[in-house]
Amino acid sequence: MSVKLGRNDPCWCGSGKKYKACHAAFDDKLARLAQEGHVVPTHDLIKTPDQIAGIKESAKINVAVLDYIEKNIHAGMNTAEIDKIVYDMTTSMGGIPAPLNYEGYPYSVCTSVNEQVCHGFPSEKVILKEGDIINVDCSTILNGYFSDSSRMFCIGEVSPEKKKLVQVTKECVELGLKEVKPWGFLGDMGQAVHDHAYANGYTVVREIGGHGVGLEFHEEPWVGYNSKRGTQMVLAPGMIFTIEPMVNMGGVEIFIDEENDWEVYTEDGMPSAQWEIMVLVTEDGHEVLSW
């Protein structure tokens, strides 16, 4: 767990407290779990109180932008309009859209419609119509701190099949969230998501998952949803990560658009849905920071 500290040394977390009164017991517990063969987080994945405060301020912008889109999205608008809303609102509140120019991504938001799984490009040519479902994935940088969440929107009256997919995917996130507990495992959350999706006849994308977030856009751990209870990384207080399963109405196979190397689609052309929240592991449970 990096440099060995004396019990009276200042704690590695920057709290100003002596190590023995701050994270000594925490580190001892992680060491025991590691000796038992579990994957444990490194110190750089544990956010300090000051970092958490900064991340929460970033998340306020992210939530406000998605709230505005929720009230104003409608049939007849094109997805480039959503991109402009995200850019204008985020920057007006002092933030930066995290997707913009991230590894070459050319837009401020991802807008994934119907059979698009994720990373959909906003476009004036993509006009929302009655019966569509769309995921709007918004991410914000504020003073160097990152936040990330997405929501599904039903455009007008959608089919019962699409409506159920959107609802069950949201339920998957909610059930996964219930499993986020200090000293539990990421696999506890992943199995809860997986089991609910498959019980409803759906599949969960395997290749793309959630991630740690806060000091960078994408941090460790990688968060999958085809996992087993008692496996994967230990959930230690101070960790922040996303829960964002991509649930397909049909088969699990996906492909990436060869022309732009970004947009992801279901192989069989069936609809896909995704909700994303950003969650902090706390001493007594969890706290959702962005939704």
Side-chain angles (χ1 to χ4, degrees):
M1 298 297 294
S2 74
V3 179
K4 180 72 173 177
L5 292 177
R7 291 178 59 78
N8 291 314
D9 289 338
C11 187
W12 53 262
C13 75
S15 66
K17 298 178 182 178
K18 291 182 178 180
Y19 180 52
K20 64 183 179 183
C22 197
H23 273 92
F26 175 97
D27 283 350
D28 287 345
K29 188 161 191 172
L30 287 183
R32 288 196 302 273
L33 288 165
Q35 288 175 350
E36 293 170 8
H38 299 295
V39 180
V40 300
T42 52
H43 285 167
D44 60 332
L45 299 186
I46 306 302
K47 307 303 189 284
T48 69
D50 285 347
Q51 290 170 342
I52 291 168
I55 293 165
K56 285 183 176 181
E57 290 303 307
S58 175
K60 288 179 183 177
I61 295 177
N62 217 62
V63 172
V65 171
L66 284 169
D67 283 348
Y68 183 87
I69 291 168
E70 185 165 356
K71 292 175 182 176
N72 291 278
I73 197 168
H74 61 272
M77 77 184 304
N78 63 61
T79 53
E81 294 177 67
I82 298 173
D83 186 66
K84 187 176 188 306
I85 289 169
V86 171
Y87 180 84
D88 289 349
M89 281 195 68
T90 302
T91 55
S92 72
M93 289 186 281
I96 302 168
L100 187 58
N101 300 318
Y102 175 76
E103 295 187 353
Y105 187 82
Y107 302 101
S108 296
V109 69
C110 299
T111 53
S112 305
V113 183
N114 296 327
E115 75 278 9
Q116 284 184 316
V117 175
C118 62
H119 304 158
F121 278 15
S123 171
E124 292 181 355
K125 297 179 181 179
V126 179
I127 300 172
L128 297 177
K129 61 184 183 299
E130 189 96 0
D132 283 341
I133 58 172
I134 177 174
N135 177 267
V136 178
D137 191 346
C138 186
S139 310
T140 301
I141 311 169
L142 179 69
N143 300 324
Y145 295 109
F146 290 76
S147 55
D148 190 10
S149 55
S150 78
R151 300 182 196 174
M152 290 298 300
F153 302 108
C154 294
I155 307 302
E157 287 297 319
V158 304
S159 69
E161 292 80 10
K162 283 184 176 178
K163 188 176 293 186
K164 181 183 176 184
L165 174 67
V166 169
Q167 179 59 36
V168 168
T169 305
K170 188 174 186 181
E171 291 168 1
C172 285
V173 173
E174 293 166 347
L175 289 169
L177 180 63
K178 288 182 179 179
E179 299 297 330
V180 177
K181 304 167 186 175
W183 311 112
F185 299 90
L186 267 180
D188 303 346
M189 180 278 300
Q191 182 163 359
V193 169
H194 177 278
D195 289 354
H196 190 64
Y198 278 79
N200 282 275
Y202 303 138
T203 58
V204 183
V205 171
R206 299 168 296 199
E207 299 90 338
I208 309 171
H211 52 90
V213 63
L215 306 184
E216 301 289 343
F217 195 174
H218 295 95
E219 305 172 10
E220 293 296 325
W222 186 82
V223 181
Y225 311 99
N226 291 279
S227 49
K228 297 293 185 183
R229 291 185 181 278
T231 68
Q232 305 206 347
M233 188 174 282
V234 171
L235 298 176
M239 288 176 62
I240 298 177
F241 60 92
T242 65
I243 302 176
E244 50 175 313
M246 300 163 200
V247 179
N248 295 346
M249 186 182 291
V252 73
E253 291 78 15
I254 59 175
F255 70 93
I256 301 173
D257 187 298
E258 292 182 355
E259 290 188 8
N260 58 48
D261 204 32
W262 273 106
E263 295 179 293
V264 182
Y265 295 82
T266 58
E267 185 70 48
D268 56 16
M270 297 286 280
S272 184
Q274 176 195 19
W275 295 82
E276 177 183 12
I277 61 173
M278 184 172 73
V279 60
L280 164 69
V281 183
T282 65
E283 294 287 349
D284 56 2
H286 58 255
E287 181 182 354
V288 178
L289 304 184
S290 188
W291 58 89

